[in-house]
Amino acid sequence: MLKHLGHPIFNVVKEAAEDLSLEVFVVGGFVRDAILNRPCKDIDFVTVGSGIALAKEVAKRLKNATEVNYFKHFGTAHIRQNDWDFEFVGARKESYTHDSRKPAVEEGSIQDDQNRRDFTINALAISLNASNYGALIDPFEGVKDLENKTLRTPLAPEQTFSDDPLRMMRAVRFATQLNFTIDGDTLKGIKATASRLDIISQERITDELNKIIAADKPSVGFKLMFDTKLLHQFFPEMIALQGVEERNGLKHKDNFYHTLQVLDNVADKSNDLWLRWAAIMHDIAKPDTKDFTDKEGWTFHGHEFVGSKKVKSIFRRLKLPLNDKMRYVSKLVLLHLRPIALTKEIVTDSAVRRLIFDAGEDIDDLLCLSKCDITSKNERKVKRFLANLVEVEGKIRDVEERDRVRNFQPPMSGEDIIKLFNIRPSREVGIIKNALKEAVLEGEIRNNRDEAINFVLKKGKELGLSKA
Ligand code: CTP
């Protein structure tokens, strides 16, 4: 394991621990990632004794530590140096959860500490002690699990998960991020313990959820959360998407699996977390709007409106930000059918202009979502729809080049209108302004000042106003 101990910090910690006659080990994520060849700039040190005393000794020896913090209540310390983070903690007999609300608990040996970690692959330790410097301590065959790409709890799964139910989400997150399988017993343990997730704060759950969404293939995590019923604990709206109904021989598609396909399609094209959230939410109101008529078959009329309204309450409950990110997701949900609608009949320039105006800066993301929304099993259909959307893209480019409505600024402001007629701010100003915007979007006039002045004068005349 010596090859993983290249960073100078390991020698510093070794010498500091020797001076204090403490045993010390590198544990957790750093060891796992070192063996997996994944970059990791967080190093956790466990000492059999006081983590704070060791950190103080280390800090003394480090010239350029930018930040040193001691958390007496929790018996932990944190040192930041350049862009590296070093955590120090005394070995514990109790669960090792990183939940800052839990105070330090009874001291233990390195074996006790490893017992209480979440997965065998996270319970690996490397000794920094003179007697066996660099030796790997692997009591649960974590290396074998790394090789077999398996997530397994060191103790009985129910115990490990009861100690900290967030670990069930971590299991799914690691499985998704690392492309690992959750061992059969561990998976059973999650199914048996899923409802205990309710004692975990939504912020911590959502942190894990966002990591799942940010993975290369987020559907893996959602399917696991669905199968184990973890998803049922905090996202019932997604559960309601699942299922297929049949009437008069007509079936609608399973909107849960469709949504996951759209999410994976978006993940292939973009790393933007919020565009991925838009994919998750785009059909969220289908269950609310579902209907069947003999004439039309299955319909979900208005699901884009209802869905866009639901975004806020779901974001609030999931403790996602209620800021422009939320408004962006809501807007994409509202508009997600519009590009497809433009492929249907003969499309007027004004319809294209309106879409550019409504989507604004987000038009490219909207088109991406639209393309990703095509999930038919029929390859020919997919090809045809995609070709149609590429055509729409071309139309959008043409219209945008000509009319520049993406960041639409009316060619005359309310202020200009007031001056032109020498009137006070009034209802008429609003009427004229709106008519001007409509005229540009409809293509009645072009988006320039000369045509705007003529239009405004004409409109003013209709309202009994004359030029000052
Ligand atoms: N740990 C645990 N149970 C938790 C959280 C953490 O047992 N609920 C232990 C694991 O041994 C883990 C270590 O604490 O490896 C460090 O946790 P953390 O920094 O949260 O995660 P990492 O495993 O380093 O992974 P990542 O950085 O990807 O979150």
Side-chain angles (χ1 to χ4, degrees):
M1 288 293 121
L2 281 172
K3 67 172 178 188
H4 301 303
L5 302 181
H7 193 288
I9 188 68
F10 296 112
N11 209 33
V12 175
V13 173
K14 169 186 178 261
E15 287 178 1
E18 260 168 21
D19 275 11
L20 297 175
S21 303
L22 290 173
E23 275 189 281
V24 65
F25 304 85
V26 191
V27 290
F30 179 84
V31 183
R32 175 199 70 219
D33 287 343
I35 298 174
L36 287 175
N37 277 323
R38 290 175 91 222
C40 177
K41 293 199 158 182
D42 273 313
I43 310 182
D44 289 336
F45 297 97
V46 167
T47 180
V48 182
S50 163
I52 291 187
L54 177 61
K56 282 191 174 153
E57 194 58 37
V58 170
K60 257 200 270 171
R61 291 158 193 258
L62 284 183
K63 286 184 196 70
N64 55 344
T66 39
E67 226 183 281
V68 186
N69 294 303
Y70 302 107
F71 308 98
K72 264 210 175 123
H73 184 56
F74 306 109
T76 63
H78 166 241
I79 297 177
R80 197 169 166 80
Q81 187 192 37
N82 305 322
D83 50 351
W84 288 78
D85 288 289
F86 310 129
E87 303 270 350
F88 296 84
V89 62
R92 298 165 176 189
K93 273 204 171 116
E94 273 298 317
S95 184
Y96 196 93
T97 66
H98 270 210
D99 181 350
S100 53
R101 282 164 310 172
K102 283 196 187 152
V105 282
E106 210 186 329
E107 286 182 15
S109 64
I110 183 67
Q111 172 82 45
D112 290 330
D113 193 277
Q114 286 173 297
N115 277 336
R116 288 306 190 166
R117 287 179 180 266
D118 52 2
F119 304 107
T120 61
I121 63 163
N122 287 342
L124 295 160
I126 301 177
S127 164
L128 297 182
N129 306 303
S131 60
N132 59 348
Y133 188 84
L136 180 73
I137 302 162
D138 179 12
F140 310 108
E141 302 195 301
V143 171
K144 204 168 127 202
D145 284 340
L146 275 179
E147 281 163 8
N148 296 335
K149 296 181 151 237
T150 303
L151 284 152
R152 183 199 315 272
T153 54
L155 305 180
E158 279 83 355
Q159 174 158 4
T160 299
F161 293 136
S162 303
D163 282 350
D164 179 8
L166 184 72
R167 289 168 166 176
M168 298 184 282
M169 288 294 291
R170 283 172 60 89
V172 174
R173 188 255 288 187
F174 284 122
T176 316
Q177 267 181 343
L178 302 175
N179 196 17
F180 274 35
T181 310
I182 302 176
D183 154 76
D185 282 344
T186 300
L187 197 65
K188 268 193 218 148
I190 299 179
K191 286 181 184 160
T193 323
S195 64
R196 298 274 327 263
L197 200 64
D198 65 351
I199 64 165
I200 299 297
S201 74
Q202 188 56 51
E203 285 83 351
R204 295 181 75 210
I205 296 173
T206 296
D207 268 358
E208 293 300 330
L209 180 64
N210 277 339
K211 287 181 188 172
I212 293 167
I213 296 169
D216 288 346
K217 202 169 174 210
S219 66
V220 171
F222 277 93
K223 284 176 189 161
L224 280 169
M225 287 190 288
F226 182 80
D227 293 342
T228 53
K229 296 211 162 59
L230 286 168
L231 195 62
H232 299 56
Q233 310 301 314
F234 60 90
F235 210 162
E237 296 86 349
M238 268 200 99
I239 304 301
L241 290 173
Q242 198 272 328
V244 177
E245 236 186 292
E246 183 172 348
R247 233 185 265 182
N248 300 353
L250 290 172
K251 285 186 191 165
H252 64 74
K253 66 181 157 201
D254 184 311
N255 288 304
F256 179 70
Y257 293 103
H258 162 71
T259 293
L260 295 190
Q261 179 67 57
V262 179
L263 175 58
D264 280 354
N265 290 349
V266 167
D268 274 345
K269 294 218 166 78
S270 163
N271 287 328
D272 188 308
L273 179 68
W274 305 106
L275 183 51
R276 294 179 182 203
W277 263 107
I280 293 169
M281 302 292 249
H282 79 288
D283 278 347
I284 203 75
K286 276 203 165 165
D288 309 67
T289 53
K290 180 163 126 174
D291 197 9
F292 184 90
T293 59
D294 288 336
K295 205 167 133 228
E296 285 186 288
W298 291 107
T299 61
F300 304 90
H301 290 311
H303 74 272
E304 69 278 26
F305 296 106
V306 182
S308 77
K309 294 266 177 288
K310 288 182 90 159
V311 170
K312 190 170 184 182
S313 59
I314 292 174
F315 265 46
R316 180 177 291 130
R317 199 189 63 235
L318 295 182
K319 305 282 188 240
L320 286 162
L322 298 176
N323 55 13
D324 54 331
K325 302 298 180 200
M326 186 269 293
R327 284 187 287 279
Y328 162 89
V329 172
S330 177
K331 175 171 157 186
L332 289 198
V333 174
L334 178 67
L335 300 178
H336 80 271
L337 299 174
R338 293 269 299 273
I340 290 277
L342 288 187
T343 66
K344 283 196 178 133
E345 297 133 32
I346 312 152
V347 176
T348 61
D349 277 3
S350 78
V352 176
R353 255 192 308 271
R354 277 187 186 280
L355 180 60
I356 304 174
F357 174 70
D358 289 340
E361 279 304 315
D362 304 317
I363 185 78
D364 296 329
D365 289 356
L366 180 65
L367 283 164
C368 174
L369 179 61
S370 272
K371 284 188 197 156
C372 294
D373 197 7
I374 303 167
T375 64
S376 165
K377 283 199 190 76
N378 180 336
E379 293 258 342
R380 279 209 346 257
K381 242 185 179 176
V382 171
K383 271 210 179 119
R384 199 176 67 233
F385 282 141
L386 274 178
N388 286 346
L389 274 175
V390 170
E391 213 173 288
V392 169
E393 232 167 0
K395 278 182 205 155
I396 287 177
R397 220 177 306 117
D398 289 351
V399 171
E400 175 59 16
E401 243 164 53
R402 223 175 38 227
D403 300 346
R404 310 231 165 268
V405 278
R406 180 186 288 231
N407 290 309
F408 181 79
Q409 291 297 336
M412 284 181 80
S413 67
E415 197 69 1
D416 295 333
I417 296 169
I418 287 170
K419 275 199 198 127
L420 187 69
F421 296 113
N422 192 21
I423 51 171
R424 288 173 176 283
S426 55
R427 204 173 63 93
E428 282 76 10
V429 180
I431 294 174
I432 296 172
K433 242 179 85 177
N434 197 43
L436 175 61
K437 183 189 92 186
E438 288 294 316
V440 174
L441 293 178
E442 278 303 316
E444 277 172 43
I445 64 166
R446 273 181 306 180
N447 193 5
N448 69 46
R449 199 169 161 91
D450 283 349
E451 294 200 23
I453 290 181
N454 282 337
F455 177 86
V456 165
L457 283 172
K458 201 174 99 211
K459 195 79 201 160
K461 204 168 163 196
E462 281 169 30
L463 294 168
L465 300 173
S466 53
K467 194 167 178 250

